[in-house]
């Protein structure tokens, strides 16, 4: 083993890094760009270190997909359907990890693991409401319950479908103040209408403050409850919604075992 390789292992070990990027290694200051490249080349060939993508690496034994997925973006974290599952609000889960962030979109397969990350790009102001999990070099972020629910109503195509989202909403214990905060940040009036309507229909506990907020912030335009269905059905004046899904159907989605 060369002196450069020994130094690289020392740097990684002293910092407790199982996942790292080229900048982190250079910023340590003990190896030059050329020396680092020489050491990395050897370890990559030996399989001691695996390249995730250009400039980002993991120790071969490190396979925490949540940490790796969040390491691939400068901000944001696990969200939407993936977060619903992590909060125990749905038993179903996608075949990829959904990552909300402000810089990247598309999909990325993690080499050597069979895990796919799906990056959903949103405006920087929507990057909020995250809970940190793990410790040290093994941390990752997940949207909290309220942010997860609002995000899913904002972009329902990433929620696993309305039946799963409505069931999750019915099951979740929600803080009305945080629901208002995230609704304001999201800025989607259609979300406010749908959440208010469901809160009343499902007799959602603790949402009185949200209902007052919704009553002051909806517009006069009628919005279909489910945009993916034909925009026809009963008109609900209170929340300016076109109910293209019936109350009975929604109640069955919320509690399928009782249907």
């Amino acid at each position: 083993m060369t002196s450069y390789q020994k130094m690289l292992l020392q740097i990684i070990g002293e910092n407790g890094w199982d996942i790292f990027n080229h900048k982190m290694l250079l910023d340590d200051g003990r190896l030059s760009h050329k020396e680092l490249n020489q050491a990395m080349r050897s370890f990559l060939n030996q399989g001691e270190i695996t390249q995730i993508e250009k400039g980002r690496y993991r120790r071969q034994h490190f396979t925490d997909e949540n940490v790796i997925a969040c390491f691939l973006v400068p901000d944001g974290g696990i969200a939407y359907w993936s977060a619903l599952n992590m909060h125990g609000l749905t038993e179903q889960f996608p075949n990829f990890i959904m990552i909300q962030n402000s810089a990247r979109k598309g999909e990325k397969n993690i080499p050597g693991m069979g895990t796919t990350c799906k990056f959903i790009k949103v405006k920087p102001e929507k990057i909020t409401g995250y809970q940190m999990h793990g410790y040290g070099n093994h941390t990752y972020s997940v949207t909290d319950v309220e942010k997860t629910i609002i995000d899913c109503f904002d972009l329902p195509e990433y929620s696993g479908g309305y039946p799963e989202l409505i069931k999750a909403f019915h099951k979740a214990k929600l803080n009305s103040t945080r629901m208002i905060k995230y609704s304001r940040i999201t800025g989607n009036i259609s979300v406010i209408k749908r959440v208010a309507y469901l809160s009343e229909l499902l007799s959602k506990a603790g949402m009185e403050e949200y209902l007052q907020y919704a009553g002051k912030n909806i517009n006069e335009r009628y919005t279909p409850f489910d945009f993916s269905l034909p925009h026809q059905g009963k008109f609900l004046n209170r929340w300016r919604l076109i109910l293209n899904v019936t109350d009975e159907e929604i109640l069955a989605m919320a509690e399928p075992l009782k249907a």
Side-chain angles (χ1 to χ4, degrees):
M1 184 180 293
T2 68
S3 60
Y4 299 155
Q5 290 174 305
K6 291 178 182 178
M7 180 56 70
L8 177 54
L9 289 181
Q10 185 176 336
I11 292 170
I12 293 171
E14 288 178 0
N15 287 286
W17 292 339
D18 283 321
I19 186 167
F20 43 89
N21 59 37
H22 202 264
K23 184 178 184 301
M24 291 164 63
L25 297 170
L26 279 178
D27 285 349
D28 177 83
R30 282 178 276 181
L31 288 174
S32 69
H33 190 278
K34 182 178 179 181
E35 293 166 347
L36 176 57
N37 285 344
Q38 288 181 13
M40 284 294 295
R41 191 178 302 115
S42 298
F43 284 132
L44 288 169
N45 290 335
Q46 296 167 14
E48 175 72 20
I49 293 174
T50 299
Q51 183 175 27
I52 305 170
E53 61 184 15
K54 185 177 180 181
R56 292 185 172 91
Y57 311 91
R58 65 178 174 89
R59 297 291 295 270
Q60 191 275 335
H61 67 270
F62 185 71
T63 57
D64 189 320
E65 59 186 17
N66 295 323
V67 174
I68 295 170
C70 289
F71 190 75
L72 296 177
V73 293
D75 60 10
I78 298 170
Y80 305 103
W81 191 359
S82 297
L84 286 178
N85 180 262
M86 295 185 75
H87 287 302
L89 297 176
T90 176
E91 296 176 356
Q92 298 186 21
F93 53 89
N95 295 323
F96 36 75
I97 301 176
M98 292 184 171
I99 303 293
Q100 183 186 72
N101 74 109
S102 66
R104 184 171 184 170
K105 59 183 178 180
E107 296 184 1
K108 166 69 181 177
N109 295 317
I110 301 176
M113 289 181 54
T115 302
T116 300
C117 302
K118 186 177 185 66
F119 300 101
I120 296 97
K121 184 179 178 180
V122 298
K123 295 179 180 179
E125 55 266 29
K126 292 186 179 183
I127 305 299
T128 187
Y130 291 91
Q131 299 174 334
M132 294 296 295
H133 295 260
Y135 59 92
N137 188 231
H138 298 173
T139 59
Y140 61 95
S141 302
V142 183
T143 49
D144 65 28
V145 171
E146 289 82 4
K147 180 62 162 37
T148 301
I149 293 293
I150 294 297
D151 280 342
C152 285
F153 276 109
D154 184 37
L155 297 175
E157 62 268 33
Y158 300 127
S159 71
Y162 264 107
E164 283 303 303
L165 177 52
I166 291 170
K167 184 168 64 174
F169 178 83
H170 184 51
K171 185 177 181 181
K173 294 181 179 180
L174 300 174
N175 179 286
S176 196
T177 301
R178 284 198 290 270
M179 290 290 285
I180 292 171
K181 173 186 174 182
Y182 299 139
S183 292
R184 283 177 174 152
I185 290 170
T186 300
N188 188 336
I189 295 177
S190 296
V191 170
I192 299 173
K193 295 177 180 180
R194 295 181 184 116
V195 169
Y197 161 62
L198 287 174
S199 295
E200 285 194 332
L201 179 64
L202 301 175
S203 302
K204 192 72 180 170
M207 291 293 283
E208 293 79 13
E209 184 183 355
Y210 189 91
L211 291 173
Q212 292 177 15
Y213 160 78
K216 298 175 182 178
N217 286 275
I218 62 171
N219 55 22
E220 293 299 314
R221 180 181 178 183
Y222 278 83
T223 304
F225 178 77
D226 186 342
F227 262 106
S228 69
L229 297 177
H231 297 184
Q232 57 188 30
K234 176 183 174 182
F235 281 68
L236 180 64
N237 292 334
R238 175 160 167 73
W239 299 118
R240 295 299 189 270
L241 282 171
I242 303 172
L243 299 182
N244 51 359
V245 181
T246 67
D247 289 356
E248 292 74 21
E249 289 171 328
I250 290 173
L251 291 170
M253 293 178 196
E255 296 187 273
L257 296 180
K258 293 185 178 181

